[in-house]
Amino acid sequence: MSTMKFFEKLLDKETRKNFLEYKEGRKMPEFRMERMREYIMSDRFETDVLRIKAGDYRISVPVKKFIRKSYTDKKRIVYHFQEDEMSIFRIMAYVLHDYEELVSRDVYSFRKSVSAKDLVRKITRNRSLQEKYVVKSDIISYGNNIDADRMILLLQEKLGTREPEMVSFFAWLLKRKQYLLDGELCEGDTAALPGCPIHNFFTNLYLADMDHLISPRCALYARYSDDIIMFVKTKEEAEENYRLLMEEFEKNGLKAHEDDKTGLYEPGKPFEYLGFRFEGGEVDIAKASLHKLKRRMRIRAKRIGLDKKKRFATPIEKAKHLIWLNHRAFYGKPDSNELSWDRWAFPVITRTDALHELDLYSQRCIRFLLSGKWSDCQFRISYDTLKNLGYESLVRAYYRERKDAEY
């Protein structure tokens, strides 16, 4: 591990170059990427970092925003700083990957060394887990309910001696508790500043003590940010671990969802976790994820059908645009390093039931745009017609990629 301190790493030219290479091709508009590239390699960046290191925290008050979650009525709170400051926080988040040893190895979120795919494979490949009781839980609005004062104490405990300048800056940032809303300066809790790039480090670290407490009690324990799962031998152990988990939540000012996201499952019973459905050693897309994907396709089709901006001259143009949008949603942008839906799901799932259902629904949405109707009469439009417009089924793509991977 590098002997450089946190702020020394930020100023290191090689670290900055590596960070920019890491960000290339990610989900960021090119003009913003170019601006960040120019700033990160500039003398202005060095001056700003040295100023913060010295305790001169001239950082803007963040703007509080309510962001609608994709194709739902739910909103999440995020805090956004000025663009150059966001660039500083982005490279800070990158350097914070070097401090992963502070987080339990059972945490799979926002890390370089492991990912959620590793966790899903671990669950499916360990056959003995099918004989275990499953306890899982999801925390309500985790990022917005982290207690800032407790987070500061944790940072001081874990990093106070090793990185005093870093801890002082993070403590000031968390204690300030100011934000702009509709242009007005407000005083109030900002939790661990969700939306700020360093927030992910806070979410991983905040429950570190709980992770280390519960993990040894389980055949397998894992946490992905606010999603927790554990496998234990007996029902008594499952009930005791669930009780202990709820106690830890309460101690940390958190609450669990009281729905199917939280519960106890007997051995062999199907359960859903991280967007997947586990049943008898097989993995498919979770029903909740399936409904979300279908809802998104339907909303896209309706918006294109209404065509309020009069962009499309014919139903065929509308159908082609929907096919293009769905394709980009599943496979991402060409030549992008961003983790697309297929790169996330295809290597993990072992069944295609949900993919087949998505295919049928996608075809129905395309036929709606061609016929103008949701009724069964739309099925007069042949499958070959859809293929000629550029449509390709997910099931076909899945088997092709599996075959390519095997080859």
Side-chain angles (χ1 to χ4, degrees), residues 304-332:
I304 295 170
L306 290 172
D307 192 20
K308 291 181 179 180
K309 295 183 179 179
K310 306 298 180 185
R311 293 182 296 167
F312 309 106
T314 65
I316 287 179
E317 288 184 11
K318 292 180 179 180
K320 283 185 174 180
H321 188 64
L322 177 62
I323 291 169
W324 178 79
L325 285 178
N326 285 345
H327 188 277
R328 191 175 71 171
F330 285 120
Y331 302 105

mmCIF file of all heavy atoms in Angstrom, residues 304-332:
data_model
loop_
_atom_site.group_PDB
_atom_site.id
_atom_site.type_symbol
_atom_site.label_atom_id
_atom_site.label_comp_id
_atom_site.label_asym_id
_atom_site.label_seq_id
_atom_site.Cartn_x
_atom_site.Cartn_y
_atom_site.Cartn_z
ATOM 1 N N ILE A 304 -43.428 8.156 -26.871
ATOM 2 C CA ILE A 304 -43.154 8.209 -28.311
ATOM 3 C C ILE A 304 -44.469 8.248 -29.093
ATOM 4 O O ILE A 304 -44.596 8.959 -30.094
ATOM 5 C CB ILE A 304 -42.300 7.002 -28.745
ATOM 6 C CG1 ILE A 304 -40.921 7.075 -28.079
ATOM 7 C CG2 ILE A 304 -42.152 6.956 -30.269
ATOM 8 C CD1 ILE A 304 -40.088 5.817 -28.243
ATOM 9 N N GLY A 305 -45.461 7.476 -28.612
ATOM 10 C CA GLY A 305 -46.762 7.463 -29.285
ATOM 11 C C GLY A 305 -47.429 8.825 -29.288
ATOM 12 O O GLY A 305 -48.028 9.247 -30.280
ATOM 13 N N LEU A 306 -47.321 9.551 -28.159
ATOM 14 C CA LEU A 306 -47.911 10.895 -28.085
ATOM 15 C C LEU A 306 -47.160 11.878 -28.985
ATOM 16 O O LEU A 306 -47.772 12.752 -29.599
ATOM 17 C CB LEU A 306 -47.891 11.393 -26.635
ATOM 18 C CG LEU A 306 -48.852 10.694 -25.677
ATOM 19 C CD1 LEU A 306 -48.587 11.145 -24.245
ATOM 20 C CD2 LEU A 306 -50.294 10.980 -26.052
ATOM 21 N N ASP A 307 -45.836 11.735 -29.023
ATOM 22 C CA ASP A 307 -44.988 12.541 -29.914
ATOM 23 C C ASP A 307 -45.363 14.021 -29.865
ATOM 24 O O ASP A 307 -45.672 14.651 -30.890
ATOM 25 C CB ASP A 307 -45.097 12.009 -31.350
ATOM 26 C CG ASP A 307 -44.022 12.603 -32.266
ATOM 27 O OD1 ASP A 307 -43.001 13.093 -31.737
ATOM 28 O OD2 ASP A 307 -44.226 12.590 -33.493
ATOM 29 N N LYS A 308 -45.314 14.593 -28.666
ATOM 30 C CA LYS A 308 -45.726 15.984 -28.497
ATOM 31 C C LYS A 308 -44.860 16.963 -29.285
ATOM 32 O O LYS A 308 -45.321 18.034 -29.688
ATOM 33 C CB LYS A 308 -45.692 16.345 -27.004
ATOM 34 C CG LYS A 308 -46.760 15.634 -26.185
ATOM 35 C CD LYS A 308 -46.694 16.045 -24.720
ATOM 36 C CE LYS A 308 -47.785 15.347 -23.910
ATOM 37 N NZ LYS A 308 -47.742 15.736 -22.464
ATOM 38 N N LYS A 309 -43.601 16.619 -29.531
ATOM 39 C CA LYS A 309 -42.711 17.515 -30.275
ATOM 40 C C LYS A 309 -42.749 17.266 -31.782
ATOM 41 O O LYS A 309 -41.989 17.890 -32.534
ATOM 42 C CB LYS A 309 -41.274 17.346 -29.757
ATOM 43 C CG LYS A 309 -41.105 17.780 -28.311
ATOM 44 C CD LYS A 309 -39.653 17.658 -27.852
ATOM 45 C CE LYS A 309 -39.489 18.111 -26.409
ATOM 46 N NZ LYS A 309 -38.076 17.970 -25.943
ATOM 47 N N LYS A 310 -43.604 16.331 -32.211
ATOM 48 C CA LYS A 310 -43.781 16.047 -33.647
ATOM 49 C C LYS A 310 -42.444 15.684 -34.305
ATOM 50 O O LYS A 310 -42.077 16.196 -35.363
ATOM 51 C CB LYS A 310 -44.403 17.251 -34.361
ATOM 52 C CG LYS A 310 -45.695 17.751 -33.744
ATOM 53 C CD LYS A 310 -46.789 16.698 -33.785
ATOM 54 C CE LYS A 310 -48.088 17.204 -33.169
ATOM 55 N NZ LYS A 310 -49.127 16.144 -33.089
ATOM 56 N N ARG A 311 -41.729 14.745 -33.686
ATOM 57 C CA ARG A 311 -40.421 14.363 -34.217
ATOM 58 C C ARG A 311 -40.499 13.246 -35.245
ATOM 59 O O ARG A 311 -39.567 13.044 -36.021
ATOM 60 C CB ARG A 311 -39.507 13.919 -33.073
ATOM 61 C CG ARG A 311 -39.133 15.034 -32.102
ATOM 62 C CD ARG A 311 -38.191 14.522 -31.026
ATOM 63 N NE ARG A 311 -38.828 13.499 -30.194
ATOM 64 C CZ ARG A 311 -38.183 12.701 -29.343
ATOM 65 N NH1 ARG A 311 -36.864 12.798 -29.248
ATOM 66 N NH2 ARG A 311 -38.829 11.817 -28.621
ATOM 67 N N PHE A 312 -41.599 12.487 -35.229
ATOM 68 C CA PHE A 312 -41.671 11.296 -36.069
ATOM 69 C C PHE A 312 -42.791 11.439 -37.103
ATOM 70 O O PHE A 312 -43.933 11.772 -36.757
ATOM 71 C CB PHE A 312 -41.904 10.053 -35.211
ATOM 72 C CG PHE A 312 -40.923 9.932 -34.068
ATOM 73 C CD1 PHE A 312 -41.317 10.193 -32.767
ATOM 74 C CD2 PHE A 312 -39.597 9.594 -34.299
ATOM 75 C CE1 PHE A 312 -40.431 10.107 -31.717
ATOM 76 C CE2 PHE A 312 -38.696 9.506 -33.254
ATOM 77 C CZ PHE A 312 -39.107 9.759 -31.961
ATOM 78 N N ALA A 313 -42.464 11.139 -38.362
ATOM 79 C CA ALA A 313 -43.437 11.312 -39.455
ATOM 80 C C ALA A 313 -44.350 10.107 -39.606
ATOM 81 O O ALA A 313 -45.492 10.237 -40.049
ATOM 82 C CB ALA A 313 -42.698 11.580 -40.767
ATOM 83 N N THR A 314 -43.849 8.916 -39.230
ATOM 84 C CA THR A 314 -44.623 7.691 -39.453
ATOM 85 C C THR A 314 -44.552 6.772 -38.243
ATOM 86 O O THR A 314 -43.632 6.891 -37.412
ATOM 87 C CB THR A 314 -44.078 6.922 -40.663
ATOM 88 O OG1 THR A 314 -42.739 6.463 -40.362
ATOM 89 C CG2 THR A 314 -44.044 7.810 -41.922
ATOM 90 N N PRO A 315 -45.488 5.815 -38.134
ATOM 91 C CA PRO A 315 -45.415 4.811 -37.058
ATOM 92 C C PRO A 315 -44.124 3.998 -37.109
ATOM 93 O O PRO A 315 -43.609 3.585 -36.058
ATOM 94 C CB PRO A 315 -46.635 3.930 -37.319
ATOM 95 C CG PRO A 315 -47.600 4.819 -38.020
ATOM 96 C CD PRO A 315 -46.758 5.711 -38.885
ATOM 97 N N ILE A 316 -43.588 3.775 -38.306
ATOM 98 C CA ILE A 316 -42.347 3.005 -38.431
ATOM 99 C C ILE A 316 -41.190 3.753 -37.762
ATOM 100 O O ILE A 316 -40.363 3.156 -37.066
ATOM 101 C CB ILE A 316 -42.031 2.707 -39.906
ATOM 102 C CG1 ILE A 316 -42.996 1.633 -40.436
ATOM 103 C CG2 ILE A 316 -40.590 2.239 -40.077
ATOM 104 C CD1 ILE A 316 -42.802 1.282 -41.889
ATOM 105 N N GLU A 317 -41.130 5.076 -37.936
ATOM 106 C CA GLU A 317 -40.086 5.867 -37.288
ATOM 107 C C GLU A 317 -40.217 5.799 -35.764
ATOM 108 O O GLU A 317 -39.212 5.727 -35.052
ATOM 109 C CB GLU A 317 -40.155 7.325 -37.752
ATOM 110 C CG GLU A 317 -39.695 7.543 -39.182
ATOM 111 C CD GLU A 317 -39.691 9.006 -39.560
ATOM 112 O OE1 GLU A 317 -39.837 9.866 -38.665
ATOM 113 O OE2 GLU A 317 -39.534 9.308 -40.751
ATOM 114 N N LYS A 318 -41.445 5.815 -35.283
ATOM 115 C CA LYS A 318 -41.675 5.705 -33.834
ATOM 116 C C LYS A 318 -41.186 4.356 -33.317
ATOM 117 O O LYS A 318 -40.512 4.269 -32.282
ATOM 118 C CB LYS A 318 -43.162 5.873 -33.523
ATOM 119 C CG LYS A 318 -43.709 7.266 -33.777
ATOM 120 C CD LYS A 318 -45.191 7.335 -33.434
ATOM 121 C CE LYS A 318 -45.749 8.738 -33.675
ATOM 122 N NZ LYS A 318 -47.182 8.823 -33.335
ATOM 123 N N ALA A 319 -41.539 3.292 -34.051
ATOM 124 C CA ALA A 319 -41.148 1.950 -33.628
ATOM 125 C C ALA A 319 -39.628 1.795 -33.623
ATOM 126 O O ALA A 319 -39.045 1.223 -32.695
ATOM 127 C CB ALA A 319 -41.784 0.910 -34.543
ATOM 128 N N LYS A 320 -38.963 2.323 -34.658
ATOM 129 C CA LYS A 320 -37.501 2.240 -34.722
ATOM 130 C C LYS A 320 -36.856 2.990 -33.557
ATOM 131 O O LYS A 320 -35.850 2.535 -32.998
ATOM 132 C CB LYS A 320 -37.003 2.816 -36.049
ATOM 133 C CG LYS A 320 -37.190 1.888 -37.242
ATOM 134 C CD LYS A 320 -36.569 2.494 -38.495
ATOM 135 C CE LYS A 320 -36.623 1.524 -39.657
ATOM 136 N NZ LYS A 320 -36.013 2.103 -40.894
ATOM 137 N N HIS A 321 -37.454 4.135 -33.192
ATOM 138 C CA HIS A 321 -36.885 4.909 -32.084
ATOM 139 C C HIS A 321 -37.036 4.157 -30.761
ATOM 140 O O HIS A 321 -36.114 4.145 -29.938
ATOM 141 C CB HIS A 321 -37.572 6.273 -31.998
ATOM 142 C CG HIS A 321 -36.921 7.206 -31.021
ATOM 143 N ND1 HIS A 321 -35.632 7.672 -31.173
ATOM 144 C CD2 HIS A 321 -37.373 7.742 -29.851
ATOM 145 C CE1 HIS A 321 -35.318 8.463 -30.156
ATOM 146 N NE2 HIS A 321 -36.351 8.523 -29.339
ATOM 147 N N LEU A 322 -38.174 3.507 -30.559
ATOM 148 C CA LEU A 322 -38.361 2.723 -29.330
ATOM 149 C C LEU A 322 -37.377 1.563 -29.286
ATOM 150 O O LEU A 322 -36.785 1.286 -28.226
ATOM 151 C CB LEU A 322 -39.797 2.194 -29.243
ATOM 152 C CG LEU A 322 -40.073 1.307 -28.021
ATOM 153 C CD1 LEU A 322 -39.871 2.080 -26.719
ATOM 154 C CD2 LEU A 322 -41.479 0.724 -28.073
ATOM 155 N N ILE A 323 -37.182 0.885 -30.402
ATOM 156 C CA ILE A 323 -36.216 -0.220 -30.455
ATOM 157 C C ILE A 323 -34.826 0.286 -30.088
ATOM 158 O O ILE A 323 -34.099 -0.343 -29.311
ATOM 159 C CB ILE A 323 -36.210 -0.866 -31.861
ATOM 160 C CG1 ILE A 323 -37.538 -1.610 -32.103
ATOM 161 C CG2 ILE A 323 -35.031 -1.824 -32.012
ATOM 162 C CD1 ILE A 323 -37.752 -2.050 -33.528
ATOM 163 N N TRP A 324 -34.472 1.468 -30.610
ATOM 164 C CA TRP A 324 -33.156 2.048 -30.312
ATOM 165 C C TRP A 324 -33.036 2.398 -28.828
ATOM 166 O O TRP A 324 -32.010 2.110 -28.199
ATOM 167 C CB TRP A 324 -32.954 3.294 -31.177
ATOM 168 C CG TRP A 324 -31.657 3.996 -30.908
ATOM 169 C CD1 TRP A 324 -30.416 3.643 -31.365
ATOM 170 C CD2 TRP A 324 -31.468 5.167 -30.097
ATOM 171 N NE1 TRP A 324 -29.459 4.521 -30.889
ATOM 172 C CE2 TRP A 324 -30.072 5.461 -30.120
ATOM 173 C CE3 TRP A 324 -32.325 5.997 -29.384
ATOM 174 C CZ2 TRP A 324 -29.541 6.556 -29.437
ATOM 175 C CZ3 TRP A 324 -31.782 7.072 -28.706
ATOM 176 C CH2 TRP A 324 -30.413 7.350 -28.731
ATOM 177 N N LEU A 325 -34.092 3.005 -28.251
ATOM 178 C CA LEU A 325 -34.059 3.374 -26.834
ATOM 179 C C LEU A 325 -33.956 2.143 -25.939
ATOM 180 O O LEU A 325 -33.178 2.119 -24.978
ATOM 181 C CB LEU A 325 -35.313 4.178 -26.467
ATOM 182 C CG LEU A 325 -35.375 5.632 -26.927
ATOM 183 C CD1 LEU A 325 -36.708 6.242 -26.514
ATOM 184 C CD2 LEU A 325 -34.230 6.446 -26.352
ATOM 185 N N ASN A 326 -34.752 1.114 -26.238
ATOM 186 C CA ASN A 326 -34.706 -0.110 -25.434
ATOM 187 C C ASN A 326 -33.344 -0.778 -25.547
ATOM 188 O O ASN A 326 -32.796 -1.284 -24.561
ATOM 189 C CB ASN A 326 -35.804 -1.076 -25.878
ATOM 190 C CG ASN A 326 -37.181 -0.645 -25.403
ATOM 191 O OD1 ASN A 326 -37.310 0.205 -24.519
ATOM 192 N ND2 ASN A 326 -38.222 -1.203 -25.988
ATOM 193 N N HIS A 327 -32.797 -0.771 -26.751
ATOM 194 C CA HIS A 327 -31.484 -1.389 -26.958
ATOM 195 C C HIS A 327 -30.427 -0.662 -26.136
ATOM 196 O O HIS A 327 -29.583 -1.288 -25.478
ATOM 197 C CB HIS A 327 -31.127 -1.349 -28.451
ATOM 198 C CG HIS A 327 -29.893 -2.137 -28.787
ATOM 199 N ND1 HIS A 327 -28.617 -1.627 -28.639
ATOM 200 C CD2 HIS A 327 -29.738 -3.414 -29.251
ATOM 201 C CE1 HIS A 327 -27.729 -2.546 -28.999
ATOM 202 N NE2 HIS A 327 -28.371 -3.632 -29.374
ATOM 203 N N ARG A 328 -30.465 0.679 -26.147
ATOM 204 C CA ARG A 328 -29.483 1.443 -25.378
ATOM 205 C C ARG A 328 -29.683 1.239 -23.879
ATOM 206 O O ARG A 328 -28.719 1.201 -23.114
ATOM 207 C CB ARG A 328 -29.581 2.928 -25.720
ATOM 208 C CG ARG A 328 -28.413 3.733 -25.164
ATOM 209 C CD ARG A 328 -28.440 5.162 -25.610
ATOM 210 N NE ARG A 328 -29.524 5.912 -24.973
ATOM 211 C CZ ARG A 328 -29.662 7.228 -25.053
ATOM 212 N NH1 ARG A 328 -28.813 7.936 -25.775
ATOM 213 N NH2 ARG A 328 -30.662 7.844 -24.454
ATOM 214 N N ALA A 329 -30.957 1.102 -23.457
ATOM 215 C CA ALA A 329 -31.236 0.886 -22.035
ATOM 216 C C ALA A 329 -30.669 -0.453 -21.561
ATOM 217 O O ALA A 329 -30.167 -0.564 -20.438
ATOM 218 C CB ALA A 329 -32.739 0.934 -21.788
ATOM 219 N N PHE A 330 -30.730 -1.469 -22.405
ATOM 220 C CA PHE A 330 -30.252 -2.793 -22.012
ATOM 221 C C PHE A 330 -28.749 -2.965 -22.225
ATOM 222 O O PHE A 330 -28.072 -3.600 -21.418
ATOM 223 C CB PHE A 330 -30.995 -3.883 -22.781
ATOM 224 C CG PHE A 330 -32.398 -4.112 -22.306
ATOM 225 C CD1 PHE A 330 -33.486 -3.936 -23.157
ATOM 226 C CD2 PHE A 330 -32.655 -4.482 -20.998
ATOM 227 C CE1 PHE A 330 -34.778 -4.133 -22.711
ATOM 228 C CE2 PHE A 330 -33.948 -4.684 -20.545
ATOM 229 C CZ PHE A 330 -35.010 -4.508 -21.406
ATOM 230 N N TYR A 331 -28.232 -2.397 -23.308
ATOM 231 C CA TYR A 331 -26.839 -2.667 -23.678
ATOM 232 C C TYR A 331 -25.905 -1.480 -23.496
ATOM 233 O O TYR A 331 -24.702 -1.610 -23.719
ATOM 234 C CB TYR A 331 -26.778 -3.147 -25.136
ATOM 235 C CG TYR A 331 -27.603 -4.377 -25.386
ATOM 236 C CD1 TYR A 331 -28.823 -4.287 -26.057
ATOM 237 C CD2 TYR A 331 -27.196 -5.627 -24.930
ATOM 238 C CE1 TYR A 331 -29.601 -5.412 -26.278
ATOM 239 C CE2 TYR A 331 -27.965 -6.757 -25.140
ATOM 240 C CZ TYR A 331 -29.174 -6.641 -25.816
ATOM 241 O OH TYR A 331 -29.949 -7.750 -26.023
ATOM 242 N N GLY A 332 -26.440 -0.321 -23.100
ATOM 243 C CA GLY A 332 -25.597 0.851 -22.875
ATOM 244 C C GLY A 332 -25.188 1.517 -24.181
ATOM 245 O O GLY A 332 -25.545 1.080 -25.275
#
